[in-house]
Amino acid sequence: MTTATDARVLQTLDGPPWDIDAYLKIGGYEAWKKCVKELSATDIVNELKKAGLRGRGGAGFPTGIKWEKVLNHRVKEHYFVCNAGEHEPGTFKDRYMLKHAPHQLIEGCLIGAYTVQAKAAFIYLNHEYQEERENLKKALAQAKERGFLGKNAMGSGMDLDLQIFDGYGSYVAGEETAMLESMQGRPAMPRQKPPFYPTDFGLYGKPTLVNNVETLCNIPRILQKGSAWFTQVGTEKCPGTMMFSLSGAINKPGVYERPMGITIRELIDTCGGGVPGGRKIKAVFPGGPAFSMVTADQLDLTMDFDSLKKAGTGLGSAGMIVVDDATCMVAKTLHFSNFFKGESCGQCPPCRMGTINLAALLTKIEQGEGTQKDMDSLLQLCGFVKGTGYCTLVTGAAVLVQSSVKLFRHEFDEHIRLQRCPYQPVAAGAAAH
Ligand SMILES: Cc1cc2nc3c(=O)[nH]c(=O)nc-3n(C[C@H](O)[C@H](O)[C@H](O)COP(=O)(O)O)c2cc1C
């Protein structure tokens, strides 16, 4: 059972989210003050390393180590970018924090940019997040007025501004190197890694600190309350909480902050209020459509980077999607496959062609025109494209199909045997033929 005292990110404000006085009343900007007045950059990095904070944007990379890499880089011109590009189906947690905690995010960004001595700092924002943009703008104006950012921000000796950069508006543009490319006016296409990791070769080719919105919202309270407080919740290797986005066949979809290591069952039952209409769970995407599904007998798996990886899936950015037993898995797989097809940036041939062909084969099967040979081609194609590409989009597209076929092969076979989708009603008169 989780309690309100477990919260590490969300705080209750007595006022609208952009109201700086409401934020100051709960200790807002105290951590920023502490960083400037009491802590060295190395102290900040060490505290984050002790906290064991891991990036919440999908990869779970240790935040303190990333900050240290940029801070100590031999090239001294550094940049800072907050990744608020959020565009994955079923993930909407960053949107929630942008809307409800803009000052907390600004404080996290200021600390990040200050620690790595960034020459310029940006929030790369999903261009569709209009209301969030307005909240952020109001909060930024207030923080500037109080001297928390701008010229000689907080007496730090740094002229620190935080600029909102309107995002390119695609899924791939959230991949950090594609994001940086688009910020330089080029198509949002990922760079080859290695060697082009942002900590070495980021914005304008300079070392750049890129962090996710939720990662940065964790920073102020870790520095204010200490790493020992932070690690009281969560698991040993994944301390703290996660902002889980719950959607799909769920009574109460939404964003829930819960400790890392909560079970899938507890999230669905206690947060999401179970599955609507007395339906049963057929499958769950614990970390969104780019990771393997799990089935109803795996609901006691715990939600953290390591446990899910060990179980053959992943946490990603914790966009959990629940699928009920009224759903055709071929149609569901096709739905997400079409998403990957539409979002491939087209740079890498295996991704460009692979996502098109995966979706085409799935369409054929779903429409009752598929054969067992198509099933062989589908699985063969997954094997060919997996692990290729400058980013993980095509791997996600292949993993989706492989996982669906592995767990629900009988549904694919049934489409082929009946030459129609068994979940679609049979047209009048058609049954006799
Ligand atoms: C296709 C793709 C899309 C991504 N989209 C996002 C995104 O919208 N927001 C985000 O923070 N990270 C996204 N990531 C992960 C980023 O590349 C990067 O790992 C992250 O921003 C680093 O921040 P963190 O260390 O705080 O997690 C995406 C990765 C891939 C492969």
Side-chain angles (χ1 to χ4, degrees):
M1 193 60 199
T2 50
T3 64
T5 52
D6 290 335
R8 291 297 183 266
V9 178
L10 292 182
Q11 302 184 80
T12 310
L13 285 177
D14 185 16
W18 60 85
D19 179 9
I20 197 160
D21 290 317
Y23 188 56
L24 291 173
K25 241 189 258 170
I26 58 160
Y29 292 106
E30 285 299 323
W32 175 214
K33 212 178 284 177
K34 187 173 170 184
C35 289
V36 173
K37 310 276 181 231
E38 296 171 30
L39 303 177
S40 68
T42 309
D43 292 337
I44 296 170
V45 162
N46 286 342
E47 199 58 28
L48 294 184
K49 281 164 94 177
K50 268 204 283 181
L53 177 68
R54 291 169 68 175
R56 305 309 201 225
F61 190 84
T63 306
I65 293 177
K66 192 187 267 189
W67 288 32
E68 189 174 45
K69 275 179 183 232
V70 179
L71 172 67
N72 294 335
H73 205 283
R74 63 188 159 71
V75 176
K76 290 302 168 205
E77 184 180 330
H78 302 163
Y79 291 92
F80 169 88
V81 186
C82 163
N83 189 345
E86 195 171 60
H87 211 89
E88 180 161 307
T91 301
F92 37 89
K93 60 167 183 106
D94 292 346
R95 177 173 215 168
Y96 187 89
M97 280 171 292
L98 285 157
K99 187 170 170 185
H100 296 283
H103 279 293
Q104 197 168 325
L105 175 63
I106 292 168
E107 189 176 6
C109 290
L110 290 172
I111 295 171
Y114 170 74
T115 304
V116 300
Q117 293 288 300
K119 187 174 169 188
F122 304 89
I123 298 177
Y124 184 87
L125 184 64
N126 178 330
H127 74 293
E128 289 165 335
Y129 289 0
Q130 288 302 324
E131 193 182 344
E132 293 72 18
R133 190 180 200 279
E134 290 314 305
N135 281 9
L136 203 51
K137 268 172 64 184
K138 281 189 223 167
L140 276 170
Q142 293 192 2
K144 198 165 188 173
E145 207 181 282
R146 305 287 174 104
F148 293 130
L149 73 152
K151 209 158 179 55
N152 189 21
M154 181 67 95
S156 63
M158 265 179 92
D159 296 344
L160 203 48
D161 257 323
L162 201 47
Q163 295 173 50
I164 300 174
F165 193 102
D166 277 326
Y168 180 80
S170 74
Y171 174 48
V172 173
E175 193 279 337
E176 54 192 359
T177 61
M179 172 186 78
L180 296 170
E181 284 291 297
S182 83
M183 290 179 75
Q184 291 178 226
R186 298 201 281 250
M189 291 178 172
R191 296 172 182 164
Q192 188 175 18
K193 299 172 290 301
F196 300 121
Y197 292 109
T199 44
D200 287 317
F201 189 91
L203 198 60
Y204 313 120
K206 304 294 180 199
T208 301
L209 178 61
V210 178
N211 273 132
N212 168 259
V213 169
E214 182 184 348
T215 312
L216 292 161
C217 283
N218 269 288
I219 302 292
R221 293 182 91 202
I222 292 177
L223 295 170
Q224 195 187 348
K225 289 174 162 268
S227 54
W229 166 81
F230 182 74
T231 56
Q232 279 165 15
V233 301
T235 68
E236 197 192 332
K237 292 206 169 126
C238 291
T241 60
M242 186 87 200
M243 305 288 295
F244 294 97
S245 313
L246 255 65
S247 68
I250 193 104
N251 275 311
K252 291 187 286 177
V255 176
Y256 298 92
E257 180 181 8
R258 288 295 181 275
M260 286 279 198
I262 187 173
T263 63
I264 297 177
R265 188 187 305 284
E266 201 182 341
L267 265 177
I268 293 175
D269 290 345
T270 60
C271 301
V275 178
R279 288 262 166 215
K280 290 194 169 60
I281 293 171
K282 188 182 219 176
V284 177
F285 291 90
F291 291 97
S292 293
M293 285 174 255
V294 299
T295 43
D297 56 340
Q298 293 176 289
L299 301 186
D300 291 318
L301 276 175
T302 52
M303 296 286 288
D304 60 80
F305 291 110
D306 307 302
S307 308
L308 290 179
K309 191 172 174 196
K310 202 166 150 205
T313 175
L315 182 64
S317 50
M320 182 191 279
I321 303 168
V322 182
V323 182
D324 70 16
D325 60 353
T327 308
C328 167
M329 291 314 293
V330 178
K332 192 69 167 176
T333 309
L334 171 61
H335 171 77
F336 289 128
S337 195
N338 276 329
F339 168 79
F340 288 124
K341 179 182 82 171
E343 293 294 331
S344 171
C345 74
Q347 178 178 215
C348 311
C351 180
R352 185 173 66 236
M353 298 313 297
T355 52
I356 289 174
N357 287 328
L358 285 174
L361 285 163
L362 286 166
T363 304
K364 214 174 149 193
I365 296 164
E366 169 59 11
Q367 290 178 349
E369 293 158 10
T371 61
Q372 284 300 337
K373 206 162 165 266
D374 292 324
M375 285 302 292
D376 295 342
S377 305
L378 193 64
L379 291 174
Q380 209 175 29
L381 187 54
C382 289
F384 283 151
V385 298
K386 208 170 150 182
T388 64
Y390 286 175
C391 79
T392 55
L393 186 142
V394 72
T395 298
V399 165
L400 162 76
V401 175
Q402 284 178 325
S403 147
S404 188
V405 175
K406 183 175 167 208
L407 298 170
F408 304 102
R409 173 81 199 217
H410 53 284
E411 292 199 21
F412 288 80
D413 290 342
E414 204 55 3
H415 280 71
I416 292 166
R417 190 179 70 80
L418 295 173
Q419 296 204 307
R420 65 176 175 84
C421 172
Y423 287 81
Q424 295 290 330
V426 182
H433 299 293

